[in-house]
Amino acid sequence: GALLDASFAGDLALGGSMSGELSASSDDLRGLLTTAGVELSPGDTLRRFSLSAKPTGTLNTLSLADLDLSLDDITATGSGGVDLSGGRPKLTAALSMPRLDASPFLGGGEDPQPDQNSNGGWSKAALDLAALKALDASLDLNVGTLILGDLTLTDADLTVTLTDGDLNANLAQVTAFGGLWKGLVGLNASGTTPALDVDLNGSSVMMSDMLSTFAGLDSIDGLGQLSVKATSTGESLDALANGLNGSASANLADGAIK
């Protein structure tokens, strides 16, 4: 079938400027990107997409109002833009997402024989970061539920930038382990080995839930104020979790050792 199905109703000038209503979809997004000259690493992400919007601009630089977007199993609404004038496509957007499961973009699938001694049972499958190298982006996101492997976050309000495989998220707020978190998280996939950089502060954090997820421990109970600054490198979520190196400080209120 066709790599791209698209329709447009509105005004289209000979110079390429347009305004109107646009819909587009592809059941072979990887094939479409490859045909457009975008280099992709092997992976199971970027399989399909669809969108509807009201565009204004040119074929190379579009602004998209009333945007309704789906990418693989992700759905979003809001506004955005696409710039195809550079070496890689660049996306800009302000989006609301009810649910974003980023796990398929981070791991190559379930580990068939997980190591029982690994921290929190993180996947040892090689990270699939092809999507981070396929395009650049500047995004303002509001996500109801954000899933990162074994970690589930809610009410996430964040700004994300992606440049040449270097992903940085500025968390204005996100709820995890019962507490409110703010800070920065970076994942750089531009080099040979992915690198993680974390600088976070959490308040009213349920310590037992957090330690169980990251270290397989549930011996400490109570609410705490937590500050974490750490870095890691690794080819999998398990390697990144186990390789975290840095500093952490905690102020535990009403805590107890089980």
Side-chain angles (χ1 to χ4, degrees):
L3 291 176
L4 177 67
D5 291 321
S7 64
F8 172 77
D11 297 324
L12 179 61
L14 291 177
S17 62
M18 65 168 62
S19 63
E21 296 186 0
L22 172 69
S23 64
S25 65
S26 175
D27 290 327
D28 185 9
L29 180 55
R30 282 182 165 266
L32 177 62
L33 292 171
T34 300
T35 301
V38 178
E39 294 184 6
L40 295 174
S41 301
D44 295 325
T45 57
L46 301 176
R47 304 183 310 275
R48 62 185 183 274
F49 92 100
S50 67
L51 70 82
S52 63
K54 295 179 179 178
T56 56
T58 68
L59 294 176
N60 279 334
T61 307
L62 276 180
S63 296
L64 302 171
D66 297 339
L67 177 61
D68 192 335
L69 171 70
S70 70
L71 173 64
D72 294 339
D73 296 323
I74 300 167
T75 61
T77 57
S79 61
V82 182
D83 187 347
L84 303 177
S85 62
R88 282 184 307 277
K90 181 174 182 179
L91 304 181
T92 58
L95 299 174
S96 177
M97 302 180 181
R99 183 178 186 272
L100 170 57
D101 185 354
S103 303
F105 295 89
L106 298 176
E110 294 296 326
D111 186 6
Q113 293 181 325
D115 184 350
Q116 297 301 316
N117 295 321
S118 65
N119 285 355
W122 295 98
S123 173
K124 287 187 174 181
L127 290 166
D128 176 11
L129 301 179
L132 300 187
K133 302 176 183 179
L135 49 82
D136 294 339
S138 178
L139 310 172
D140 291 325
L141 304 178
N142 184 276
V143 184
T145 301
L146 174 60
I147 300 173
L148 303 168
D150 290 343
L151 181 60
T152 298
L153 314 175
T154 59
D155 301 323
D157 185 3
L158 64 157
T159 299
V160 177
T161 60
L162 174 61
T163 305
D164 195 18
D166 187 5
L167 177 70
N168 290 279
N170 186 335
L171 305 178
Q173 71 168 32
V174 63
T175 300
F177 311 113
L180 184 64
W181 295 79
K182 298 180 180 181
L184 302 171
V185 177
L187 181 61
N188 193 337
S190 63
T192 303
T193 304
L196 178 68
D197 192 349
V198 177
D199 189 352
L200 294 173
N201 294 285
S203 59
S204 300
V205 178
M206 298 178 66
M207 300 300 291
S208 60
D209 289 352
M210 188 190 71
L211 290 173
S212 175
T213 297
F214 286 105
L217 303 174
D218 61 356
S219 57
I220 298 178
D221 202 0
L223 299 178
Q225 313 296 314
L226 191 65
S227 177
V228 178
K229 189 170 185 177
T231 60
S232 182
T233 59
E235 299 285 354
S236 67
L237 290 177
D238 181 78
L240 288 173
N242 281 284
L244 283 170
N245 183 38
S247 62
S249 61
N251 184 357
L252 189 62
D254 299 324
I257 298 178
K258 297 180 182 180

